[in-house]
């Protein structure tokens, strides 16, 4: 078709997807094209603005590496990550809520026994974390795999430190036969998300702060249960109501108790949702 204009090009672009073999790919691309074209018309997008948008996305990709995912960070600050989590993690109210994955998870974390120190030299005040992992029926989930990771006292994850060649504040352990877990680490602190890339420029342009409230990351996996990706947040953090990535849920807020020896303790029980059986 020749001589397409701003009113006819959208349908033509959609029509050219007619031969797409995968119906889900066709459905997603059709909606994407329609909404993108409607967006451009709604804001009367200029060629210069579109070029700047492409440059922004290009820079976002260039900032990504094996230790940092700037596109995840972009999705997080736009609320898209949490929207996707919310749409895809409907659970009974008794189950632990999911939240954003974040850009600093890496595979290959060291394995620890219950009670071990996963901080492994990370700076911060000592903290012991413990709790249980159970199913919706209340039964313990013995042997559940638990990935944990967190920032140190300076608000940095180990993968953000060029001077490190070992994991800190990150590890894998397993619940015992009673579904219990326990590990030592450092007190979680609030920290700003990285602002040295395109996402930081976006926050500055929109007058938004980059802060995340103090939290620990958890990913819990066990046969017969849905994988849970979540955080546990410190209840006294001032950023709970304005988390830069929209990840806070009231049910995930817990007290870090200061003990007589000056260390801290967190106890949190997780409830997993069973996998639906067809």
């Amino acid at each position: 078709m020749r001589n397409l204009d701003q009113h006819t090009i959208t349908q033509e672009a959609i029509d050219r997807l007619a031969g797409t073999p995968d119906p889900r790919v066709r459905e997603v691309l059709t909606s994407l094209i329609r909404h993108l074209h409607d967006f451009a018309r709604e804001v009367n997008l200029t060629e210069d603005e579109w070029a700047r948008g492409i440059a922004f996305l290009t820079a976002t990709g260039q900032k990504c590496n094996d230790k940092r995912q700037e596109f995840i960070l972009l999705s997080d600050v736009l609320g898209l990550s949490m929207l996707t989590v919310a749409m895809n993690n409907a659970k009974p109210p008794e189950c632990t809520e999911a939240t954003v994955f974040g850009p600093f998870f890496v595979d290959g974390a060291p394995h620890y026994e219950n009670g071990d120190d996963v901080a492994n030299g990370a700076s911060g005040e000592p903290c012991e974390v413990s709790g249980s992992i159970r199913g919706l029926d209340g039964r313990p989930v013995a042997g559940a795999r638990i990935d944990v990771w967190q920032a140190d006292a300076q608000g940095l994850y180990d993968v953000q430190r060029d001077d490190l060649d070992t994991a800190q504040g990150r590890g894998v352990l397993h619940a015992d036969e009673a579904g219990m877990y326990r590990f030592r680490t450092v007190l979680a602190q609030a920290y700003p998300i990285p602002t040295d890339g395109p996402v930081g420029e976006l926050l500055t342009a929109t007058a938004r702060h980059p802060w995340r409230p103090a939290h620990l990351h958890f990913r819990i996996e066990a046969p017969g249960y849905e994988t849970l990706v979540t955080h546990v947040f410190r209840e006294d953090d001032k950023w709970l109501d304005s988390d830069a990535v929209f990840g806070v849920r009231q049910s995930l807020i817990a007290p870090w108790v200061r003990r007589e020896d000056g260390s801290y303790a967190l106890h949190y029980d997780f409830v997993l949702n069973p996998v639906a059986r067809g």
Side-chain angles (χ1 to χ4, degrees):
M1 185 175 181
R2 301 179 182 180
N3 300 321
L4 293 168
D5 61 27
Q6 62 177 305
H7 305 292
T8 60
I9 191 170
T10 302
Q11 190 56 51
E12 178 66 16
I14 291 172
D15 289 345
R16 294 189 187 186
L17 300 174
T20 306
D22 188 321
R24 177 59 176 168
V25 171
R26 184 168 63 252
E27 178 186 13
V28 170
L29 288 178
T30 295
S31 183
L32 176 64
I33 290 171
R34 181 177 293 114
H35 285 284
L36 277 176
H37 285 215
D38 286 345
F39 155 74
R41 281 187 283 262
E42 178 182 340
V43 301
N44 196 25
L45 192 66
T46 68
E47 291 179 82
D48 179 63
E49 290 167 341
W50 181 227
R52 290 166 61 188
I54 291 174
F56 176 84
L57 293 175
T58 300
T60 300
Q62 291 170 338
K63 198 68 176 177
C64 297
N65 55 42
D66 61 339
K67 295 181 178 181
R68 175 168 170 177
Q69 237 299 347
E70 191 79 357
F71 267 113
I72 290 179
L73 201 61
L74 177 60
S75 175
D76 289 349
V77 302
L78 293 177
L80 183 58
S81 296
M82 199 58 225
L83 171 61
T84 305
V85 168
M87 290 191 303
N88 288 274
N89 285 274
K91 306 175 190 293
E94 298 86 357
C95 291
T96 304
E97 291 188 270
T99 190
V100 292
F101 196 44
F104 293 116
F105 173 83
V106 293
D107 289 313
H111 286 246
Y112 293 96
E113 298 296 323
N114 267 311
D116 283 351
D117 177 18
V118 306
N120 194 29
S123 62
E125 300 174 85
C127 180
E128 183 175 67
V129 182
S130 63
S132 66
I133 301 175
R134 299 185 179 278
L136 190 57
D137 58 4
R139 296 179 182 177
V141 183
R145 175 188 167 113
I146 309 164
D147 280 89
V148 296
W149 65 104
Q150 69 171 104
D152 61 18
Q154 282 72 52
L156 295 173
Y157 290 82
D158 53 1
V159 294
Q160 294 178 277
R161 292 190 174 277
D162 295 332
D163 58 330
L164 282 181
D165 57 4
T166 186
Q168 290 187 340
R170 180 187 307 277
V172 178
L173 57 152
H174 292 82
D176 64 19
E177 292 183 359
M180 305 300 293
Y181 71 92
R182 181 171 63 89
F183 61 91
R184 288 174 289 134
T185 184
V186 293
L187 181 67
Q189 300 285 357
Y191 64 86
I193 61 173
T195 56
D196 59 340
V199 172
E201 295 175 6
L202 176 64
L203 292 179
T204 298
T206 54
R208 287 177 54 188
H209 75 72
W211 285 88
R212 296 221 62 206
H215 61 275
L216 293 178
H217 293 263
F218 289 84
R219 184 176 73 172
I220 303 174
E221 302 172 280
Y225 295 90
E226 296 177 359
T227 295
L228 173 66
V229 174
T230 195
H231 306 353
V232 179
F233 296 90
R234 277 180 59 184
E235 69 174 3
D236 58 349
D237 196 284
K238 70 177 184 178
W239 303 108
L240 288 171
D241 292 319
S242 61
D243 180 10
V245 307
F246 309 97
V248 177
R249 293 294 177 268
Q250 183 62 41
S251 66
L252 302 178
I253 299 172
W256 264 252
V257 179
R258 187 175 178 87
R259 301 191 288 199
E260 291 185 0
D261 64 1
S263 66
Y264 287 81
L266 164 68
H267 185 92
Y268 194 87
D269 299 323
F270 296 93
V271 179
L272 304 185
N273 197 32
V275 173
R277 296 180 179 180

